[in-house]
Amino acid sequence: MAVAKAKIDLSAVRSLLFLPASNPRAIAKAREAGADVVVLDLEDAVKSEDKTVARKAALEACASEWPMAVAIRVNGVGTKWHSLDLDAAARSKANFVVVPRAISAHLVRGVAEAVNKPVLAMIETAAGVLCAAQIADVCAALIAGTNDLRADLRLPLDATREPISASLQMIVLSARAAGIAAFDGVFNGLDDPDAFRKEAEDGRRLGFDGKSLIHPNQIDPCHKAFAPSVDEVERAKALVDAFQGGAERFGDEMIERMHIEAAQRVLDRAGG
């Protein structure tokens, strides 16, 4: 069976808002919050005793229209909830299914075929990072699971992003080689907007298309961080307008077609 392709342009997505599917208030708020994609979580955000309730709630939530794309994050392979989650996700009207702790292309392909929907694969372990290129070939996007990755690498609880920077770059490289989107991991602090902004901007500089979020108040700063600045847009317009084909001078530098392609991506990201 062929793996389902994404009908939504994930490269234009800036924000993935994760919330527990067992929380009806959070679901109601998410409908109005303005994230690009809402992820109804059946996994880490849901207590074991609430898994059945969360699964039913996710199905019900997906049954109605949303102003944004909706995904369901299933419980991982090897858990007692996995097959039930796959069955529910396959029957749902969710646009995507998120697979946690993806460690092989075989695992991800199996999920994609079971749900017949595009899959977003979370790279959260050393094994996942080392197989990211193969995983990227069978899914619609990669998501960096930075909290689990730090734990899997046995980093101190207060570890910064520096020890996982190589892993983050590997995720981006794998996604770009496969021609799919890549999303940065979550920022855990809820009351430090400056630190969130800095991390989101760092994610964009690394090449990520957007970022995973854990609270609606992170949406606006995330969108700003992943949007081209006014200066970037003006420069991109000037580059596109000036280009005549081949290598040529632009101001005090030489440009060629790859610069124009990069400039056009900036304009596309900015809405034309």
Side-chain angles (χ1 to χ4, degrees):
M1 182 186 295
V3 174
K5 301 295 184 183
K7 297 179 180 179
I8 296 169
D9 181 11
L10 286 167
S11 67
V13 169
R14 302 153 296 176
S15 55
L16 305 174
L17 177 62
F18 284 73
L19 57 90
S22 55
N23 187 335
R25 188 161 173 254
I27 292 175
K29 283 188 174 183
R31 289 181 182 275
E32 310 296 329
D36 293 328
V37 177
V38 169
V39 182
L40 303 173
D41 192 12
L42 305 181
E43 198 218 8
D44 283 349
V46 178
K47 297 177 182 178
S48 298
E49 60 268 28
D50 294 334
K51 297 290 188 182
T52 301
V53 171
R55 190 182 307 115
K56 181 180 178 182
L59 271 173
E60 292 176 351
C62 290
S64 58
E65 292 294 326
W66 284 70
M68 68 282 289
V70 183
I72 294 176
R73 177 162 73 165
V74 299
N75 284 279
V77 174
T79 67
K80 61 183 180 181
W81 309 287
H82 180 67
S83 60
L84 293 172
D85 288 352
L86 291 189
D87 179 64
R91 292 185 286 113
S92 78
K93 293 184 178 180
N95 302 99
F96 305 102
V97 171
V98 178
V99 180
R101 300 179 71 84
I103 58 172
S104 73
H106 174 74
L107 180 157
V108 174
R109 177 178 284 279
V111 171
E113 292 178 347
V115 299
N116 194 29
K117 296 180 186 293
V119 164
L120 315 185
M122 298 196 69
I123 307 300
E124 305 182 86
T125 63
V129 170
L130 294 179
C131 289
Q134 291 80 18
I135 293 170
D137 284 334
V138 296
C139 68
L142 298 180
I143 304 172
T146 46
N147 286 335
D148 284 78
L149 182 57
R150 286 188 179 95
D152 194 57
L153 296 179
R154 303 178 189 175
L155 300 181
L157 292 176
D158 61 351
T160 65
R161 282 163 67 91
E162 184 177 358
I164 61 170
S165 60
S167 298
L168 295 176
Q169 195 63 75
M170 182 70 78
I171 292 169
V172 174
L173 285 168
S174 299
R176 295 294 171 257
I180 63 173
F183 300 101
D184 200 357
V186 300
F187 178 78
N188 297 314
L190 296 177
D191 300 315
D192 194 345
D194 289 338
F196 173 86
R197 175 183 55 79
K198 290 177 182 178
E199 183 170 294
E201 290 172 349
D202 174 68
R204 187 186 173 214
R205 283 191 291 270
L206 279 171
F208 285 105
D209 296 291
K211 189 170 181 63
S212 304
L213 310 179
I214 56 173
H215 195 279
N217 66 14
Q218 296 176 332
I219 296 171
D220 285 343
C222 177
H223 287 181
K224 290 176 182 176
F226 282 93
S229 67
V230 173
D231 289 344
E232 285 180 275
V233 173
E234 291 304 314
R235 175 177 166 77
K237 287 179 179 178
L239 277 168
V240 171
D241 291 343
F243 190 61
Q244 301 295 320
E248 59 188 84
R249 186 181 182 114
F250 177 78
D252 60 354
E253 63 182 301
M254 293 298 295
I255 62 170
E256 52 185 291
R257 185 163 299 280
M258 67 176 181
H259 298 99
I260 305 309
E261 292 172 352
Q264 189 59 58
R265 285 195 295 271
V266 169
L267 296 178
D268 292 342
R269 189 76 167 180

